[in-house]
Coordinates of all heavy atoms in Angstrom, one line a residue:
M1 N 0.9 -1.2 0.0 CA 0.0 0.0 0.0 C 0.9 1.2 0.0 O 1.8 1.3 0.8 CB -0.9 0.0 1.2 CG -1.9 1.1 1.2 SD -3.0 1.2 2.6 CE -3.4 -0.5 3.1
S2 N 0.6 2.2 -0.9 CA 1.4 3.4 -1.0 C 1.1 4.4 0.1 O 0.0 4.2 0.8 CB 1.2 4.0 -2.3 OG -0.1 4.6 -2.4
D3 N 2.0 5.3 0.3 CA 1.7 6.4 1.3 C 0.5 7.2 1.0 O -0.3 7.6 1.9 CB 2.9 7.3 1.4 CG 4.1 6.6 2.0 OD1 3.9 5.6 2.7 OD2 5.3 7.0 1.7
R4 N 0.2 7.4 -0.3 CA -0.9 8.2 -0.7 C -2.2 7.4 -0.4 O -3.2 8.0 0.1 CB -0.9 8.4 -2.2 CG -1.9 9.4 -2.7 CD -1.6 9.8 -4.1 NE -2.6 10.7 -4.5 CZ -2.7 11.2 -5.7 NH1 -1.9 10.8 -6.7 NH2 -3.7 12.0 -6.0
D5 N -2.3 6.1 -0.6 CA -3.4 5.3 -0.2 C -3.7 5.3 1.3 O -4.8 5.5 1.7 CB -3.3 3.9 -0.7 CG -3.3 3.7 -2.2 OD1 -3.8 4.7 -2.9 OD2 -2.8 2.7 -2.7
Q6 N -2.6 5.2 2.0 CA -2.7 5.2 3.5 C -3.2 6.5 4.0 O -4.1 6.6 4.9 CB -1.3 4.9 4.1 CG -1.4 4.8 5.6 CD -2.2 3.6 6.1 OE1 -2.4 2.6 5.4 NE2 -2.6 3.7 7.3
E7 N -2.7 7.6 3.4 CA -3.2 8.9 3.8 C -4.6 9.2 3.5 O -5.4 9.7 4.3 CB -2.3 10.0 3.1 CG -2.6 11.4 3.6 CD -1.7 12.4 2.8 OE1 -0.7 12.0 2.3 OE2 -2.1 13.6 2.8
A8 N -5.1 8.7 2.4 CA -6.5 8.8 2.0 C -7.4 8.0 2.9 O -8.4 8.5 3.3 CB -6.7 8.4 0.5
R9 N -7.0 6.8 3.2 CA -7.7 5.9 4.1 C -7.9 6.6 5.5 O -8.9 6.6 6.1 CB -7.1 4.6 4.2 CG -7.9 3.6 5.0 CD -7.2 2.2 5.0 NE -6.8 1.8 3.7 CZ -7.5 1.2 2.8 NH1 -8.8 1.0 3.0 NH2 -7.0 0.8 1.6
E10 N -6.8 7.2 6.0 CA -6.8 7.8 7.3 C -7.7 9.0 7.3 O -8.5 9.3 8.3 CB -5.4 8.2 7.8 CG -4.5 7.0 8.1 CD -3.1 7.4 8.4 OE1 -2.8 8.6 8.3 OE2 -2.3 6.5 8.7
A11 N -7.7 9.8 6.2 CA -8.6 11.0 6.1 C -10.0 10.5 6.1 O -10.9 11.2 6.7 CB -8.2 11.7 4.8
L12 N -10.4 9.5 5.4 CA -11.8 9.0 5.4 C -12.2 8.5 6.7 O -13.3 8.7 7.1 CB -11.9 7.9 4.3 CG -11.9 8.3 2.9 CD1 -11.8 7.1 2.0 CD2 -13.0 9.2 2.5
E13 N -11.3 7.8 7.5 CA -11.6 7.4 8.8 C -11.9 8.6 9.7 O -12.8 8.5 10.6 CB -10.5 6.5 9.3 CG -10.5 5.1 8.7 CD -9.3 4.3 9.1 OE1 -8.5 4.8 9.9 OE2 -9.1 3.2 8.6
R14 N -11.1 9.6 9.6 CA -11.3 10.8 10.4 C -12.6 11.5 10.1 O -13.3 11.9 11.1 CB -10.2 11.8 10.2 CG -8.9 11.6 11.0 CD -8.0 12.8 11.0 NE -7.7 13.3 9.7 CZ -6.7 12.9 8.9 NH1 -5.9 12.0 9.3 NH2 -6.6 13.4 7.7
V15 N -13.0 11.6 8.9 CA -14.2 12.2 8.5 C -15.4 11.4 9.0 O -16.4 11.9 9.6 CB -14.3 12.3 7.0 CG1 -15.8 12.6 6.5 CG2 -13.4 13.4 6.5
Q16 N -15.3 10.0 8.9 CA -16.4 9.2 9.4 C -16.5 9.3 10.9 O -17.6 9.4 11.5 CB -16.1 7.7 9.1 CG -17.2 6.8 9.5 CD -16.9 5.3 9.2 OE1 -15.8 5.0 8.7 NE2 -17.8 4.5 9.4
R17 N -15.4 9.3 11.6 CA -15.4 9.4 13.1 C -16.0 10.8 13.5 O -16.8 10.9 14.5 CB -14.0 9.2 13.7 CG -13.9 9.2 15.2 CD -12.5 9.0 15.7 NE -11.7 10.1 15.2 CZ -10.5 10.0 14.5 NH1 -10.1 8.8 14.2 NH2 -9.8 11.0 14.1
D18 N -15.6 11.9 12.9 CA -16.0 13.2 13.2 C -17.5 13.4 12.9 O -18.3 14.0 13.7 CB -15.2 14.3 12.5 CG -13.8 14.3 13.0 OD1 -13.5 13.8 14.1 OD2 -13.0 14.9 12.3
S19 N -18.0 12.8 11.8 CA -19.4 12.9 11.5 C -20.3 12.1 12.5 O -21.4 12.5 12.8 CB -19.7 12.5 10.1 OG -19.4 11.1 9.9
E20 N -19.7 11.0 12.9 CA -20.5 10.2 13.9 C -20.6 10.9 15.2 O -21.6 10.9 15.9 CB -19.8 8.8 14.2 CG -20.0 7.8 13.1 CD -19.3 6.5 13.5 OE1 -18.6 6.4 14.5 OE2 -19.3 5.6 12.6
T21 N -19.6 11.7 15.6 CA -19.6 12.4 16.9 C -20.6 13.5 16.8 O -21.3 13.7 17.8 CB -18.2 13.0 17.1 OG1 -17.2 12.0 17.2 CG2 -18.2 13.8 18.4
L22 N -20.7 14.2 15.7 CA -21.7 15.3 15.6 C -23.1 14.8 15.3 O -24.0 15.4 15.7 CB -21.2 16.2 14.4 CG -19.9 16.9 14.6 CD1 -19.6 17.7 13.4 CD2 -20.0 17.8 15.8
G23 N -23.2 13.6 14.6 CA -24.5 13.2 14.2 C -25.3 12.4 15.2 O -26.6 12.3 15.1
S24 N -24.7 11.9 16.2 CA -25.5 11.1 17.2 C -24.9 11.1 18.6 O -23.7 11.5 18.7 CB -25.6 9.6 16.7 OG -24.3 9.0 16.7
S25 N -25.6 10.8 19.6 CA -25.1 10.8 20.9 C -24.2 9.7 21.2 O -24.2 8.6 20.5 CB -26.2 10.8 21.9 OG -26.9 9.6 21.9
A26 N -23.4 9.8 22.2 CA -22.5 8.7 22.6 C -23.2 7.5 23.1 O -22.8 6.4 22.8 CB -21.5 9.2 23.7
L27 N -24.3 7.7 23.8 CA -25.1 6.6 24.2 C -25.7 5.8 23.1 O -25.7 4.5 23.1 CB -26.2 7.1 25.2 CG -27.1 6.0 25.8 CD1 -26.2 5.1 26.7 CD2 -28.1 6.6 26.7
A28 N -26.2 6.5 22.0 CA -26.7 5.8 20.9 C -25.6 5.0 20.1 O -25.9 3.9 19.7 CB -27.4 6.8 19.9
R29 N -24.5 5.6 20.0 CA -23.3 4.9 19.4 C -23.0 3.7 20.1 O -22.7 2.6 19.6 CB -22.1 5.8 19.2 CG -22.2 6.7 18.0 CD -20.8 7.3 17.8 NE -20.1 7.8 18.9 CZ -20.2 9.0 19.5 NH1 -21.1 9.9 19.0 NH2 -19.5 9.4 20.5
M30 N -22.9 3.8 21.5 CA -22.5 2.6 22.3 C -23.6 1.5 22.2 O -23.2 0.3 22.1 CB -22.3 3.0 23.7 CG -21.0 3.8 24.0 SD -20.8 4.4 25.6 CE -21.7 3.3 26.7
G31 N -24.8 1.9 22.2 CA -25.9 0.9 22.0 C -25.8 0.2 20.7 O -26.0 -1.0 20.6
R32 N -25.5 1.0 19.6 CA -25.4 0.4 18.3 C -24.2 -0.6 18.2 O -24.3 -1.7 17.6 CB -25.3 1.5 17.3 CG -25.7 1.2 15.9 CD -25.8 2.3 14.9 NE -25.0 3.5 15.2 CZ -25.5 4.7 15.7 NH1 -26.8 4.8 15.9 NH2 -24.6 5.7 15.9
R33 N -23.1 -0.1 18.8 CA -21.9 -1.0 18.8 C -22.2 -2.3 19.6 O -21.7 -3.4 19.2 CB -20.7 -0.2 19.4 CG -20.2 0.8 18.4 CD -19.0 1.5 19.0 NE -17.9 0.6 19.3 CZ -16.9 0.9 20.1 NH1 -16.9 2.1 20.7 NH2 -16.0 0.0 20.4
A34 N -22.9 -2.2 20.8 CA -23.2 -3.4 21.6 C -24.1 -4.3 20.8 O -23.9 -5.5 20.8 CB -23.8 -3.0 22.9
G35 N -25.1 -3.7 20.1 CA -26.0 -4.6 19.3 C -25.3 -5.3 18.2 O -25.5 -6.4 17.9
D36 N -24.3 -4.6 17.5 CA -23.5 -5.2 16.5 C -22.6 -6.3 17.0 O -22.4 -7.3 16.4 CB -22.7 -4.1 15.8 CG -23.5 -3.2 14.9 OD1 -24.7 -3.5 14.6 OD2 -23.0 -2.2 14.5
H37 N -22.1 -6.0 18.2 CA -21.2 -7.0 18.9 C -22.0 -8.3 19.2 O -21.5 -9.4 18.8 CB -20.6 -6.4 20.1 CG -19.7 -7.4 20.8 ND1 -18.5 -7.8 20.4 CD2 -19.9 -8.1 22.0 CE1 -17.9 -8.6 21.2 NE2 -18.8 -8.8 22.2
F38 N -23.1 -8.2 19.9 CA -23.9 -9.3 20.3 C -24.6 -10.0 19.1 O -24.9 -11.2 19.1 CB -24.8 -9.0 21.4 CG -24.1 -8.8 22.7 CD1 -24.0 -7.6 23.2 CD2 -23.6 -9.9 23.4 CE1 -23.3 -7.4 24.5 CE2 -23.0 -9.7 24.6 CZ -22.8 -8.5 25.1
G39 N -24.8 -9.2 18.0 CA -25.4 -9.8 16.8 C -24.3 -10.4 15.9 O -24.6 -10.9 14.8
A40 N -23.1 -10.4 16.3 CA -21.9 -11.0 15.6 C -21.8 -10.4 14.2 O -21.5 -11.1 13.2 CB -22.0 -12.5 15.5
K41 N -21.9 -9.1 14.1 CA -21.8 -8.4 12.8 C -20.3 -8.4 12.3 O -20.0 -8.2 11.2 CB -22.2 -7.0 12.9 CG -23.7 -6.8 13.2 CD -24.5 -6.6 12.0 CE -25.9 -6.3 12.5 NZ -26.8 -6.4 11.4
D42 N -19.4 -8.7 13.3 CA -18.0 -8.7 12.9 C -17.5 -10.1 12.4 O -16.4 -10.3 12.1 CB -17.1 -8.3 14.1 CG -17.3 -9.3 15.3 OD1 -18.3 -10.0 15.3 OD2 -16.5 -9.2 16.2
A43 N -18.4 -11.1 12.3 CA -18.1 -12.4 11.8 C -18.0 -12.4 10.3 O -19.0 -12.6 9.7 CB -19.1 -13.4 12.4
V44 N -16.9 -12.2 9.8 CA -16.7 -12.2 8.3 C -15.9 -13.5 8.0 O -14.9 -13.8 8.5 CB -15.9 -11.0 7.9 CG1 -15.6 -11.1 6.4 CG2 -16.7 -9.7 8.2
G45 N -16.5 -14.2 7.1 CA -15.9 -15.5 6.7 C -14.7 -15.4 5.9 O -14.4 -14.3 5.3
S46 N -14.0 -16.5 5.7 CA -12.7 -16.5 5.0 C -12.9 -17.0 3.6 O -12.0 -17.2 2.8 CB -11.6 -17.3 5.7 OG -12.1 -18.6 5.9
A47 N -14.2 -17.2 3.2 CA -14.5 -17.7 1.8 C -14.2 -16.6 0.8 O -14.1 -15.5 1.2 CB -15.9 -18.2 1.8
K48 N -14.1 -17.0 -0.4 CA -13.9 -16.1 -1.5 C -14.9 -15.0 -1.6 O -14.6 -13.8 -1.8 CB -13.8 -16.8 -2.8 CG -12.6 -17.6 -3.0 CD -12.5 -18.3 -4.4 CE -11.3 -19.2 -4.5 NZ -11.3 -19.9 -5.8
D49 N -16.2 -15.4 -1.4 CA -17.3 -14.4 -1.5 C -17.5 -13.6 -0.1 O -18.4 -12.8 0.0 CB -18.5 -15.0 -1.9 CG -19.0 -16.1 -1.0 OD1 -18.3 -16.5 0.0 OD2 -20.1 -16.6 -1.2
G50 N -16.7 -13.9 0.9 CA -16.8 -13.3 2.2 C -18.0 -13.8 3.0 O -18.4 -13.2 4.0
G51 N -18.5 -15.0 2.6 CA -19.6 -15.6 3.3 C -19.2 -16.1 4.7 O -18.0 -16.3 4.9
T52 N -20.2 -16.2 5.6 CA -19.9 -16.6 6.9 C -20.6 -17.9 7.2 O -21.7 -18.1 6.8 CB -20.5 -15.5 7.9 OG1 -19.9 -14.3 7.6 CG2 -20.2 -15.9 9.3
D53 N -19.9 -18.8 7.8 CA -20.4 -20.1 8.2 C -21.5 -19.9 9.3 O -21.3 -19.2 10.3 CB -19.3 -21.0 8.8 CG -19.8 -22.3 9.2 OD1 -20.8 -22.8 8.7 OD2 -19.1 -23.0 10.0
P54 N -22.8 -20.4 9.0 CA -23.8 -20.1 10.0 C -23.5 -20.7 11.4 O -23.9 -20.1 12.4 CB -25.0 -20.8 9.4 CG -24.7 -21.0 7.9 CD -23.2 -21.1 7.8
I55 N -22.8 -21.8 11.4 CA -22.5 -22.4 12.7 C -21.5 -21.4 13.5 O -21.7 -21.2 14.7 CB -21.8 -23.8 12.6 CG1 -22.8 -24.7 11.8 CG2 -21.4 -24.3 13.9 CD1 -24.1 -25.0 12.6
E56 N -20.6 -20.9 12.8 CA -19.7 -19.9 13.5 C -20.4 -18.7 13.9 O -20.2 -18.2 15.0 CB -18.6 -19.5 12.5 CG -17.6 -18.5 13.1 CD -16.5 -18.1 12.1 OE1 -16.5 -18.6 11.0 OE2 -15.7 -17.2 12.5
L57 N -21.3 -18.2 13.1 CA -22.1 -17.0 13.5 C -22.9 -17.3 14.7 O -22.9 -16.5 15.7 CB -23.0 -16.6 12.3 CG -23.9 -15.4 12.4 CD1 -23.0 -14.2 12.5 CD2 -24.8 -15.3 11.3
W58 N -23.7 -18.4 14.7 CA -24.5 -18.7 15.9 C -23.7 -19.0 17.1 O -24.0 -18.7 18.3 CB -25.5 -19.8 15.6 CG -26.7 -19.2 14.9 CD1 -27.0 -19.2 13.6 CD2 -27.7 -18.4 15.5 NE1 -28.1 -18.5 13.3 CE2 -28.6 -18.0 14.5 CE3 -28.0 -18.0 16.8 CZ2 -29.7 -17.2 14.7 CZ3 -29.1 -17.2 17.0 CH2 -30.0 -16.9 16.0
G59 N -22.5 -19.6 16.9 CA -21.6 -19.9 18.0 C -21.1 -18.6 18.7 O -21.1 -18.5 19.9
R60 N -20.8 -17.6 17.9 CA -20.4 -16.3 18.4 C -21.5 -15.7 19.2 O -21.3 -15.1 20.3 CB -19.9 -15.4 17.3 CG -18.5 -15.7 16.8 CD -18.1 -14.7 15.8 NE -16.9 -15.1 15.2 CZ -16.0 -14.3 14.8 NH1 -16.2 -13.0 14.9 NH2 -14.9 -14.7 14.2
R61 N -22.7 -15.7 18.6 CA -23.9 -15.1 19.3 C -24.1 -15.8 20.6 O -24.4 -15.1 21.6 CB -25.1 -15.2 18.4 CG -25.0 -14.3 17.2 CD -26.2 -14.5 16.3 NE -26.2 -13.5 15.2 CZ -26.9 -13.6 14.1 NH1 -27.8 -14.6 14.0 NH2 -26.8 -12.7 13.1
I62 N -24.1 -17.1 20.6 CA -24.4 -17.9 21.8 C -23.3 -17.6 22.9 O -23.6 -17.4 24.1 CB -24.6 -19.4 21.5 CG1 -25.9 -19.6 20.7 CG2 -24.6 -20.2 22.8 CD1 -26.0 -21.0 20.2
G63 N -22.1 -17.6 22.5 CA -21.0 -17.4 23.4 C -21.0 -16.0 24.0 O -20.8 -15.9 25.2
R64 N -21.3 -15.0 23.2 CA -21.4 -13.7 23.7 C -22.6 -13.5 24.6 O -22.5 -12.8 25.7 CB -21.4 -12.7 22.6 CG -20.1 -12.6 21.8 CD -20.1 -11.8 20.6 NE -18.8 -11.9 20.0 CZ -18.5 -11.3 18.9 NH1 -19.4 -10.5 18.2 NH2 -17.3 -11.4 18.4
A65 N -23.7 -14.1 24.3 CA -24.9 -14.0 25.2 C -24.6 -14.7 26.5 O -24.9 -14.2 27.6 CB -26.1 -14.6 24.5
L66 N -24.0 -15.9 26.5 CA -23.6 -16.6 27.7 C -22.6 -15.8 28.6 O -22.7 -15.8 29.8 CB -23.1 -18.0 27.4 CG -24.1 -19.0 26.9 CD1 -23.4 -20.3 26.6 CD2 -25.2 -19.2 28.0
S67 N -21.7 -15.1 27.9 CA -20.7 -14.3 28.7 C -21.5 -13.1 29.4 O -21.1 -12.8 30.5 CB -19.6 -13.8 27.8 OG -20.1 -12.8 26.9
L68 N -22.4 -12.5 28.7 CA -23.2 -11.5 29.3 C -24.0 -12.0 30.5 O -24.0 -11.4 31.6 CB -24.1 -10.8 28.3 CG -25.0 -9.7 28.8 CD1 -24.1 -8.5 29.3 CD2 -26.0 -9.3 27.8
V69 N -24.6 -13.2 30.4 CA -25.4 -13.8 31.5 C -24.4 -14.0 32.7 O -24.7 -13.8 33.8 CB -26.1 -15.1 31.0 CG1 -26.6 -15.8 32.2 CG2 -27.2 -14.7 30.1
G70 N -23.2 -14.5 32.4 CA -22.2 -14.8 33.4 C -21.8 -13.6 34.1 O -21.7 -13.6 35.4
V71 N -21.6 -12.5 33.4 CA -21.2 -11.2 34.1 C -22.3 -10.7 35.0 O -22.0 -10.3 36.1 CB -20.8 -10.2 33.0 CG1 -20.7 -8.8 33.6 CG2 -19.5 -10.5 32.4
V72 N -23.5 -10.8 34.5 CA -24.7 -10.4 35.4 C -24.8 -11.2 36.6 O -24.9 -10.7 37.8 CB -26.0 -10.4 34.6 CG1 -27.2 -10.2 35.5 CG2 -26.0 -9.3 33.5
I73 N -24.6 -12.5 36.5 CA -24.7 -13.4 37.6 C -23.6 -13.2 38.6 O -23.8 -13.1 39.8 CB -24.7 -14.9 37.2 CG1 -26.0 -15.2 36.5 CG2 -24.4 -15.9 38.4 CD1 -26.1 -16.6 35.9
L74 N -22.3 -13.0 38.1 CA -21.2 -12.7 39.0 C -21.4 -11.3 39.7 O -21.0 -11.2 40.8 CB -19.9 -12.7 38.2 CG -19.4 -14.1 37.8 CD1 -18.2 -14.0 36.9 CD2 -19.1 -14.9 39.1
G75 N -21.9 -10.4 39.0 CA -22.2 -9.1 39.6 C -23.2 -9.2 40.7 O -23.0 -8.6 41.8
L76 N -24.3 -9.9 40.5 CA -25.3 -10.1 41.5 C -24.7 -10.8 42.7 O -24.9 -10.5 43.9 CB -26.5 -10.8 41.0 CG -27.4 -10.0 40.0 CD1 -28.4 -10.9 39.4 CD2 -28.0 -8.8 40.7
W77 N -23.9 -11.9 42.5 CA -23.2 -12.6 43.5 C -22.3 -11.7 44.4 O -22.3 -11.8 45.6 CB -22.4 -13.8 42.9 CG -21.7 -14.6 44.0 CD1 -22.3 -15.5 44.8 CD2 -20.3 -14.6 44.2 NE1 -21.3 -16.1 45.6 CE2 -20.1 -15.5 45.3 CE3 -19.3 -13.8 43.7 CZ2 -18.8 -15.7 45.8 CZ3 -18.0 -14.0 44.3 CH2 -17.8 -15.0 45.3
L78 N -21.6 -10.8 43.7 CA -20.7 -9.9 44.4 C -21.5 -9.0 45.3 O -21.2 -8.7 46.4 CB -19.9 -9.1 43.4 CG -19.0 -8.0 44.0 CD1 -17.9 -8.7 44.9 CD2 -18.3 -7.2 42.9
L79 N -22.6 -8.5 44.8 CA -23.5 -7.6 45.6 C -24.1 -8.3 46.8 O -24.2 -7.7 47.9 CB -24.6 -7.0 44.7 CG -24.1 -6.0 43.6 CD1 -25.3 -5.6 42.7 CD2 -23.5 -4.8 44.2
V80 N -24.4 -9.6 46.6 CA -24.9 -10.3 47.8 C -23.8 -10.6 48.8 O -24.0 -10.4 50.0 CB -25.5 -11.7 47.3 CG1 -25.7 -12.6 48.4 CG2 -26.8 -11.5 46.5
Q81 N -22.6 -10.9 48.3 CA -21.5 -11.1 49.2 C -21.1 -9.8 50.0 O -20.7 -9.9 51.1 CB -20.3 -11.6 48.5 CG -20.5 -13.0 47.9 CD -20.7 -14.0 49.0 OE1 -20.0 -14.1 50.0 NE2 -21.7 -14.9 48.8
L82 N -21.3 -8.7 49.3 CA -21.0 -7.4 50.0 C -22.1 -7.0 50.9 O -21.9 -6.0 51.7 CB -20.7 -6.3 49.0 CG -19.4 -6.5 48.2 CD1 -19.3 -5.5 47.1 CD2 -18.2 -6.5 49.1
G83 N -23.2 -7.6 50.9 CA -24.3 -7.3 51.7 C -25.2 -6.1 51.2 O -26.0 -5.6 51.9
I84 N -25.0 -5.8 49.9 CA -25.8 -4.7 49.4 C -27.2 -5.2 49.0 O -28.1 -4.5 49.1 CB -25.0 -4.1 48.2 CG1 -23.7 -3.5 48.7 CG2 -25.9 -3.1 47.4 CD1 -22.8 -3.0 47.6
L85 N -27.3 -6.4 48.5 CA -28.6 -7.0 48.2 C -29.0 -8.0 49.2 O -28.3 -8.7 49.8 CB -28.5 -7.7 46.8 CG -28.5 -6.8 45.6 CD1 -28.4 -7.6 44.3 CD2 -29.7 -5.9 45.5

């Protein structure tokens, strides 16, 4: 990749980041990012057409949902141990 290509890519990323900051609230962006994360939008396959294996996609979704459930359970357990709940 040439220096010119890299510079153009960085400029486009700055424009996108700045327009997101002005166009929506931080809470809305965080909610959208969390939804994309738990929906496994980042699961891009290695096939030629960029397709994603459905098993891998659902595996990521299930794993991320179980990790969220685990964090909630551990948080509640901690609050009970501290005598807050």
Side-chain angles (χ1 to χ4, degrees):
M1 186 181 323
S2 70
D3 291 336
R4 189 172 181 184
D5 291 341
Q6 182 66 24
E7 184 179 340
R9 187 176 315 277
E10 289 172 0
L12 288 173
E13 288 174 1
R14 277 194 309 269
V15 167
Q16 181 181 8
R17 185 181 60 237
D18 293 344
S19 66
E20 282 181 2
T21 302
L22 296 174
S24 63
S25 70
L27 186 60
R29 276 196 317 275
M30 286 177 27
R32 204 169 26 253
R33 286 181 59 198
D36 289 346
H37 178 73
F38 286 106
K41 298 265 186 190
D42 60 342
V44 176
S46 59
K48 290 182 183 178
D49 61 352
T52 303
D53 181 21
I55 300 300
E56 180 182 354
L57 182 67
W58 278 102
R60 285 183 186 213
R61 288 176 178 168
I62 291 169
R64 290 172 181 180
L66 288 175
S67 69
L68 180 63
V69 168
V71 165
V72 169
I73 289 172
L74 286 173
L76 290 173
W77 179 76
L78 177 65
L79 292 175
V80 167
Q81 293 297 317
L82 292 173
I84 296 173
L85 287 179

